[in-house]
Amino acid sequence: MSGALDARLALTLGSFRLDAELRAPGTGVTAVVGPSGSGKSTLLRCLAGLEPRALGRIRFGDETWLDAARGVCVPAHRRGAAVVFQDAAPFAHLSVRGNLEYGLRRCPVARRQLALDDVTGWLRIAPLLDRRPGGLSGGERQRVAIARALLAGPRLLLLDEPLASLDSPARAEILELLRALFARTPMPVLYVTHARSEAVHLADHVVVMEAGRVRASGPLREIMLRADAPFGEPGELGCVVEAEVIAFDERDGITELRFSGGRLYVPGRLRLGERRRIEILARDISLSLDAPHRTSILNVLPARVEAVYDAESLQPVVRVDLGGTELLARVSRRSLRLLELREGARVFVQVKAVAVIP
Amino acid sequence: MNGDVAALLLTLRLAAISTGLLLLFATPLAWWVARTQSRWKAPIEAAVALPLVLPPTVLGFYLLLALGPQGPVGSLWGALGGGPLVFSFSGLVVGSVIYSLPFVVQPIQAGFEQLGRAPLEAAATLGAGPVDRFFSVALPQTLRHFLAGAVLGFAHTLGEFGVVLMIGGNIPSRTRVVSIAIYDHVETLDYGAAHQLAGILLAISFAVLLLVFATNRRWRGTPVT
């Protein structure tokens, strides 16, 4: 029932112009990232059918939602694309239960797969069912809105900065809930955010937007390696690797993980056999031509230089290949010159810090 | 005294029917004005608000011309098989609806503007069609404004004088409303009868407004913004 998105959209709102070509796979989470004002939310509103003046075309699976040239425009309530907005206000005249039932009652029978009890359990809102939305905290309101959207049986779930107006403890909690939720639900998810960390946590695919256009799009790992289309703050450039926990050293409290480029050692205990996302920032990697001996750095891996970006800037970025896994390293222009780092050079990667994504 | 009872009943009937029709017309009008970006918005808003500032006699004069047998509305109504509109109860209803329109449109329009687009958009993406959205989201969230509009329209029609005099005249049991009956009593120096009717009107008006303000306070517990 779910489908891939294929859209070509144009919309002018005042001085802003959206002119975006978007492709998103029919499963998993696609994060739409970019600075504020880059048109992420407008793109999402067009997909949901909330911008009646949008031009272009939208195909979802084998359906046409919009084909402006032929005068086709499926209204929002027939698209089956539920939206969770940034300041998702539950309906004030209904209780929390009433809000959830609002979605459930309008869910076509054929798509009724989730039970109210399951969803309230996953999102930890069962105790709130008889409350009025007016007395809920920001995080609670957001969880109610997410549950309401899920219960409407959407074929596409659209989230527009759902965590942006929350404080950081609430954000961390919901982020974790969302990750578990997206793993359970079959429909594709489009997740708009300006926070790189949310995309790194949740996304399988990434669409990078800038000034109303799609600058890059593809699998998360690939996009993170694109130093020419960075998303998030410049200091946040980095990569993620998928790794499996294979051992734990009791004496030093160190966990050993295996990934396609070798082994990683991280302080702390993780569950054996678990697969985790590990984020390694470009500024936390240093390169050396010789294997460092007697170093305090735990993770030293042999690699080969693949490419150098921004060689003329003060802090160029070097892409290295660890035998199947690529990483980005930020070095100084002087190091680049003294070490003669060029494509094909053999180096040792020293990873100063890694972040295990919860 | 019998005539006074008839006038009272006539007034209540006029106010009730006018309020019903007003809600019917004012709701789509308020909806349109609240969300349109058309350049016709300002002229339409101004036209709806005219009865607020025009002397009722001016309004009544134009209505008299329009509703008369030779007037555009009156002749059309006649062609459709309707009886004469001027000096009839139907004419009073038409006059009252126009006269009280801003009192009903404006609170409802304010309600729709306060409601904003967000809840309606959320409802749409949950699968609610336009009519469903109106009855399941817009109406329940603006009920307070609807009540205010209905009460203001009702109370305003109760107190109508000038327009009625112009297009309805003073026909007992047909177009003789309370305000005109009071005027008649005062003219004939029958202050006792005038007192009675005026007191009843005062009491009804106060009771209706009290009802609104009392329920309004209770509802304020649940935010409607």
Side-chain angles (χ1 to χ4, degrees), chain B residues 17-30:
Chain B
I17 292 174
S18 301
T19 306
L21 288 174
L22 275 166
L23 287 175
L24 221 56
F25 295 130
T27 305
L29 189 58

Side-chain angles (χ1 to χ4, degrees), chain A residues 45 77 81 83 93 102 106, chain B residues 117 121 124-125 128 132 136 141:
Chain A
R45 289 177 58 81
H77 66 279
V83 183
H93 64 291
Y102 191 97
R106 285 162 181 80
Chain B
R117 287 195 323 190
E121 288 182 343
T125 73
D132 185 2
S136 65
Q141 295 213 13

Side-chain angles (χ1 to χ4, degrees), chain B residues 125-192:
Chain B
T125 73
L126 294 171
V131 177
D132 185 2
R133 294 202 285 278
F134 177 78
F135 285 104
S136 65
V137 177
L139 185 62
Q141 295 213 13
T142 53
L143 217 48
R144 218 152 51 95
H145 300 91
F146 270 92
L147 184 70
V151 165
L152 286 175
F154 186 86
H156 193 241
T157 308
L158 278 189
E160 188 176 331
F161 181 75
V163 175
V164 178
L165 204 62
M166 295 294 282
I167 62 172
N170 187 357
I171 307 166
S173 300
R174 279 183 50 203
T175 62
R176 187 164 180 245
V177 296
V178 171
S179 56
I180 290 174
I182 295 172
Y183 182 75
D184 282 352
H185 288 315
V186 174
E187 284 278 272
T188 56
L189 297 179
D190 185 356
Y191 277 35

Side-chain angles (χ1 to χ4, degrees), chain B residues 102-116:
Chain B
F103 291 84
V104 186
V105 169
Q106 287 182 353
I108 297 177
Q109 181 189 340
F112 290 152
E113 279 166 359
Q114 217 180 80
L115 177 70

